[in-house]
Amino acid sequence: MKTPSNSIKRRFALKFLRTLVRIRKSTHQPSPSQSSTWEIRRRAQRIKLAAYSSMARTVGSKRAWSRALTMKLRAAMGNRPWSMIKQESKKMTRRKLIAKRKRHMEKDLNSGVQELRRLVPGGQWMDPLSLMQETAHFLRCLETQVRVMRSIVAEGEGFPC
Amino acid sequence: MHPCSSSSREMERDMDMNSILNHGNISPSRHQLPLQDLHNHPIHGRAAAHFDPVPGDQEFLDQMFSNISSSSWADLHSADCDTNGNAVGPFGAHFDESAVLVSKLRQHQISGGSGSSTLAKALLLQQQMVMGRGFDSSHSDIPGVDESVQALYNSFGGSIHGGGCGGSQLLNTSLQIHHRQGGSPSFGAQAQATNPAQAVSGSMITASGGGGNTSASQPRPKVRARRGQATDPHSIAERLRRERIAERMRALQELVPNANKTDKASMLDEIIDYVKFLQLQVKVLSMSRLGGAAAVAPLVADMGGGGIDCLQANGGGSGGDGSTNDSLTVTENQVAKLMEEDMGSAMQYLQGKGLCLMPISLAAAISTSTCQPGRRPASTGDVPTSPSMSGMTAQSTAGGNRGGPDGSSSTKEAAASVPKP
């Protein structure tokens, strides 16, 4: 359960490619030759968000980090289903209180754990034990993501990437 | 009623257990090896096992057996083994217990934890398996079971010994005990006794003391403290928690490529760096994906419109051979721009194109040594390069190129003149 298998790679690749095609179609209408730096950056941002969102959707709701990531992405892109968000925020506030109390009590390896909480989505409200588990899974998914993206880029350009 | 233990059936049960464990267990695949070894071990004769039981280990045995008797024998007793030759039925209960124990054992193996706990779990598991097989073999060929049990113990001793604790001694002690007690009579007696577990445990205790009789001593009701560890529930919980954290850290450490574990704090820092590195890679890749790397040209301010158009078209389509002069200059300019903001992303970008930065002297040395106009420098990494390594490479080269923009551009020329494969 800690290791995403090949199926995740394939599913992620599929979703990501579809999203990419959609992005490309949406930005192909304005002439690409005059895209400014800002537009390029914005497009890069969208691609990055697409990568993360397809990753989160591939993993589904099985993992805490994917749920938290989905919430964050929805907030970034403008979200429609409000009910889910309200529920999640309620859960989060309760978890926050618990986590705060626990964090006061334990001082071991705190700085590293703090940093990890910042990096892993949804890590702020997890206890250190499950945080590490989530980090492991998140790490594997990130590696998958990078590998897939690199292979896509290599495909498009003919480099070994 | 089938005879319960032909050797093939033993193998089947091993298979069942393996499959159950495979389904229900989370640990990474390499920890399945001990059981695979079990399965693949041919059932051979007795291996020579000879050690002196360490007298201090008696406490471990005591505690372990008391644990066993208190918790699990009830289940075993309730499971009726000699009914219809349904091998899976009575064994289901055994398998659950042993599955749980084996997973615990693996966890402890993973954590490489305190030697005593590994010992205890190992012996627990052994006991389970012994009793499982003991029950089933209550009316069948005892020697066959005995040998299979020996095989199990052998492989277990081997695997646990590989774990690096002194548990193999105790394992082989128990092996020897079974040796001594011989085949059928003791087994038959134990299997049919009302409390065979305690009989065996009693015999093991006394045998470890040096005797060989099968007196059935009652195990002590309360848990005796292990050497050097308190029985305080708080500290036990603390210890458990720390073990779990250590085990997870180990699992994380396997993922990160640079895995020299010195201590927890530095390992955590490595992990954090690696996560940041991967996120940075995603960011850079999403930037370079805009119709190929050559199409990042629009970032460069001083390119002609026609050039941009043709490059865009090139990159958007197949764009395999971008080795025209235009794209090289574009690459250089792009790298210059990236270097201004972030060294890491510049390196990434170059790596994505199959290039790298190097000091001029090194490039000259390489080109002269190989006598080829452009030999590709062998320092491109693949996906999970350690962030510290790539950072250092960039820094060393950047340190070499501090001599103004001329130096840097000529270096890039040296690197960029490499023909792309």
Side-chain angles (χ1 to χ4, degrees):
Chain A
M1 230 191 294
K2 269 193 202 164
T3 72
S5 54
N6 273 338
S7 67
I8 284 200
K9 194 163 33 159
R10 267 184 231 129
R11 280 187 281 160
F12 166 69
L14 218 60
K15 288 202 172 81
F16 187 44
L17 283 173
R18 286 206 196 117
T19 324
L20 272 186
V21 165
R22 203 157 40 95
I23 288 184
R24 187 182 179 145
K25 271 194 208 154
S26 71
T27 57
H28 223 51
Q29 273 80 15
S31 54
S33 57
Q34 288 161 13
S35 23
S36 59
T37 311
W38 177 80
E39 271 184 43
I40 296 278
R41 289 248 166 90
R42 186 165 159 272
R43 195 169 159 206
Q45 169 82 358
R46 281 181 71 180
I47 291 184
K48 185 177 79 156
L49 287 180
Y52 279 117
S53 77
S54 40
M55 191 76 235
R57 244 181 306 157
T58 306
V59 172
S61 314
K62 275 192 294 192
R63 289 270 155 175
W65 66 262
S66 73
R67 293 193 290 261
L69 189 56
T70 316
M71 296 263 322
K72 193 172 67 164
L73 288 172
R74 283 209 194 118
M77 300 283 302
N79 35 13
R80 271 158 293 165
W82 287 100
S83 54
M84 262 293 290
I85 294 173
K86 274 187 197 156
Q87 271 182 10
E88 287 284 342
S89 65
K90 272 190 209 154
K91 272 194 231 167
M92 290 311 180
T93 31
R94 211 182 325 145
R95 262 194 240 166
K96 264 193 239 181
L97 290 174
I98 299 176
K100 244 191 219 174
R101 250 178 272 139
K102 266 199 190 163
R103 247 183 287 151
H104 273 297
M105 288 205 284
E106 63 118 32
K107 295 297 179 190
D108 190 20
L109 312 168
N110 222 1
S111 60
V113 171
Q114 284 283 44
E115 188 69 26
L116 210 49
R117 281 183 212 268
R118 266 202 316 130
L119 287 177
V120 175
Q124 315 209 359
W125 307 303
M126 289 191 235
D127 56 313
L129 208 59
S130 38
L131 178 66
M132 310 195 85
Q133 205 171 350
E134 296 291 320
T135 309
H137 194 262
F138 185 56
L139 213 52
R140 288 214 183 220
C141 288
L142 269 184
E143 278 178 14
T144 319
Q145 197 173 5
V146 167
R147 221 172 277 155
V148 167
M149 285 171 82
R150 274 206 166 181
S151 53
I152 291 179
V153 170
E155 199 97 27
E157 300 172 16
F159 297 130
C161 233
Chain B
M1 172 167 26
H2 304 255
C4 296
S5 68
S6 54
S7 56
S8 58
R9 188 107 19 147
E10 293 292 332
M11 301 281 258
E12 274 180 32
R13 284 186 210 118
D14 285 338
M15 274 277 269
D16 283 353
M17 187 152 77
N18 271 345
S19 59
I20 288 180
L21 286 165
N22 285 344
H23 286 318
N25 211 337
I26 308 177
S27 55
S29 55
R30 71 172 171 88
H31 295 290
Q32 310 258 345
L33 279 183
L35 277 180
Q36 299 291 341
D37 280 347
L38 270 178
H39 175 62
N40 295 332
H41 251 328
I43 297 184
H44 52 274
R46 305 141 185 236
H50 57 98
F51 325 76
D52 317 325
V54 180
D57 294 333
Q58 182 151 355
E59 304 168 3
F60 302 154
L61 287 173
D62 287 351
Q63 180 180 16
M64 175 199 60
F65 293 138
S66 63
N67 280 345
I68 296 175
S69 54
S70 58
S71 63
S72 52
W73 294 125
D75 299 342
L76 282 183
H77 285 309
S78 61
D80 201 351
C81 82
D82 57 350
T83 51
N84 45 1
N86 190 2
V88 189
F91 249 77
H94 304 326
F95 275 156
D96 287 283
E97 298 284 358
S98 38
V100 164
L101 284 173
V102 166
S103 62
K104 275 196 207 149
L105 168 65
R106 279 215 210 111
Q107 284 183 4
H108 280 282
Q109 272 187 344
I110 293 172
S111 65
S114 46
S116 54
S117 62
T118 320
L119 276 179
K121 295 299 180 197
L123 288 171
L124 252 179
L125 176 58
Q126 276 194 9
Q127 271 297 37
Q128 282 284 2
M129 300 176 82
V130 164
M131 289 335 290
R133 272 155 181 76
F135 267 126
D136 241 336
S137 67
S138 56
H139 16 248
S140 50
D141 316 333
I142 304 291
V145 174
D146 206 5
E147 292 203 0
S148 67
V149 167
Q150 302 297 335
L152 280 170
Y153 283 177
N154 289 342
S155 40
F156 245 38
S159 65
I160 295 183
H161 192 56
C165 60
S168 58
Q169 283 208 356
L170 271 189
L171 289 181
N172 293 312
T173 306
S174 56
L175 248 181
Q176 205 186 6
I177 290 163
H178 282 285
H179 274 292
R180 275 195 232 132
Q181 290 172 0
S184 18
S186 54
F187 249 107
Q190 288 160 17
Q192 287 159 21
T194 48
N195 230 349
Q198 294 171 357
V200 172
S201 69
S203 57
M204 279 182 82
I205 290 177
T206 51
S208 76
N213 49 353
T214 61
S215 60
S217 62
Q218 292 290 331
R220 301 183 205 158
K222 61 180 176 184
V223 175
R224 190 134 59 110
R226 283 191 224 147
R227 180 179 283 170
Q229 285 168 349
T231 39
D232 197 20
H234 287 304
S235 49
I236 284 186
E238 265 295 317
R239 200 190 330 140
L240 208 64
R241 186 173 149 269
R242 253 181 280 134
E243 279 177 5
R244 272 201 223 134
I245 286 187
E247 154 196 347
R248 303 252 166 100
M249 287 272 318
R250 208 162 318 240
L252 274 176
Q253 177 197 340
E254 289 169 22
L255 288 177
V256 179
N258 200 10
N260 48 347
K261 167 173 181 175
T262 50
D263 66 312
K264 275 194 219 167
S266 64
M267 203 55 228
L268 261 180
D269 288 338
E270 278 281 342
I271 292 168
I272 288 170
D273 282 339
Y274 189 53
V275 170
K276 279 195 213 161
F277 171 71
L278 284 181
Q279 285 178 340
L280 179 62
Q281 274 200 335
V282 169
K283 181 169 159 203
V284 166
L285 277 175
S286 66
M287 242 183 16
S288 78
R289 176 179 313 269
L290 308 173
V296 195
L299 276 180
V300 178
D302 51 352
M303 276 299 296
I308 292 180
D309 268 345
C310 81
L311 282 173
Q312 278 272 359
N314 226 1
S318 54
D321 52 342
S323 53
T324 61
N325 281 336
D326 283 342
S327 73
L328 281 182
T329 330
V330 163
T331 311
E332 289 175 7
N333 289 327
Q334 172 54 24
V335 170
K337 254 220 147 85
L338 275 181
M339 268 171 69
E340 282 168 351
E341 38 187 64
D342 181 21
M343 198 59 216
S345 53
M347 284 298 297
Q348 300 257 354
Y349 174 65
L350 276 183
Q351 271 190 7
K353 298 186 70 78
L355 307 169
C356 83
L357 278 180
M358 58 169 54
I360 303 177
S361 46
L362 186 57
I366 287 181
S367 59
T368 53
S369 69
T370 60
C371 295
Q372 287 174 13
R375 222 178 106 80
R376 177 177 168 171
S379 54
T380 53
D382 49 344
V383 175
T385 31
S386 171
S388 54
M389 264 174 31
S390 63
M392 270 175 21
T393 317
Q395 280 168 16
S396 62
T397 54
N401 303 346
R402 277 302 161 200
D406 291 340
S408 56
S409 59
S410 61
T411 304
K412 269 172 288 179
E413 257 179 313
S417 68
V418 171
K420 304 192 181 75

